[in-house]
């Protein structure tokens, strides 16, 4: 049997400069990239259905491609993970940051509780930053378990996460 030919891997490649707010413009839309690439050039591969953004020989971001046929202003597609390093420097950005409207529901519920407490911004940022080192789904599960238990605190979430990770195969 002859192997099937590989599907055509068609893309158009552009070099773009990342804005100070960590966005690149492609076809009237804006897409986020990790904050460490702000003001730097990146390579953007535009496929039929997605964008793949690379820098220094590594893929740094991927987004589903938005194709707008209308003449309305373009859309901005954020990935909240791209802004974690900004939050670590400025936790207050969490309160009004457009990128964080896309947080998963469990994180949003936790945020609503923590931001009412003194120091809650920083605590929330430290919890979000756990996804840099641990499986995001495990972190989210720990957050949801803490919320169910009425114990929304970083320490409780860390304990739950530790147990979840220990019991993982």
């Amino acid at each position: 049997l002859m192997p099937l030919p590989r599907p055509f891997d068609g893309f158009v490649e552009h070099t773009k400069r990342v804005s100070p707010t960590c966005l690149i413009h492609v076809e009237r839309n804006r897409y986020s990239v990790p904050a460490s690439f702000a003001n730097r050039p990146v390579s953007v591969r535009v496929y039929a259905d997605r964008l793949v953004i690379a820098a220094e020989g590594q893929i740094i971001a991927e987004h589903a491609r938005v194709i707008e046929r209308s003449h309305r202003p373009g859309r901005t597609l954020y990935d909240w993970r791209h802004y974690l390093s900004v939050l670590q420097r400025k936790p207050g950005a969490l309160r009004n940051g457009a990128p964080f409207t896309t947080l998963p529901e469990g994180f949003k519920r936790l945020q609503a509780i923590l931001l009412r407490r003194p120091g809650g911004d920083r605590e929330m940022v430290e919890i979000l930053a756990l996804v840099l080192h641990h499986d995001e789904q495990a972190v989210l599960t720990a957050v949801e378990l803490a919320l169910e238990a009425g114990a929304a605190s970083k320490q409780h979430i860390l304990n739950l996460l530790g147990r979840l990770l220990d019991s993982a195969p």
Side-chain angles (χ1 to χ4, degrees):
L1 227 65
M2 295 240 342
L4 287 170
R6 291 205 30 167
F8 174 63
D9 194 22
F11 61 85
V12 178
E13 191 154 9
H14 304 280
T15 299
K16 299 272 182 183
R17 191 170 228 1
V18 179
S19 78
T21 51
C22 320
L23 298 168
I24 54 163
H25 280 259
V26 179
E27 298 162 338
R28 303 203 351 258
N29 296 310
R30 294 184 305 249
Y31 299 86
S32 68
V33 301
S36 52
F37 294 92
N39 303 309
R40 288 168 56 189
V42 294
S43 158
V44 182
R45 290 181 176 179
V46 181
Y47 292 85
D49 60 342
R50 70 191 196 283
L51 301 181
V52 176
I53 302 143
E56 295 155 14
Q58 290 191 320
I59 292 175
I60 58 166
E62 267 192 66
H63 286 277
R65 182 178 169 195
V66 174
I67 299 174
E68 285 277 351
R69 298 273 176 242
S70 71
H71 291 291
R72 287 201 302 271
R75 291 175 41 201
T76 303
L77 286 94
Y78 292 108
D79 180 334
W80 61 272
R81 299 163 201 82
H82 293 162
Y83 294 87
L84 280 170
S85 64
V86 173
L87 283 183
Q88 288 171 312
R89 292 194 308 273
K90 293 191 285 206
L94 198 54
R95 288 180 187 271
N96 49 15
F100 306 105
T101 57
T102 60
L103 280 174
E105 198 48 48
F107 287 148
K108 281 186 180 168
R109 294 202 338 262
L110 178 67
Q111 182 181 356
I113 295 167
L114 291 184
L115 294 195
R116 291 199 290 266
R117 297 181 190 160
D121 300 67
R122 179 155 301 285
E123 193 171 356
M124 184 67 202
V125 170
E126 288 167 0
I127 292 162
L128 288 176
L130 292 169
V131 306
L132 297 171
H133 309 287
H134 303 287
D135 176 66
E136 184 176 322
Q137 202 47 59
V139 175
L140 198 49
T141 301
V143 164
E144 285 163 354
L145 290 169
L147 289 167
E148 277 169 36
S153 74
K154 181 186 164 198
Q155 198 48 58
H156 193 65
I157 289 164
L158 282 172
N159 293 344
L160 289 164
L161 182 62
R163 270 183 257 158
L164 284 168
L165 296 174
D166 285 346
S167 66

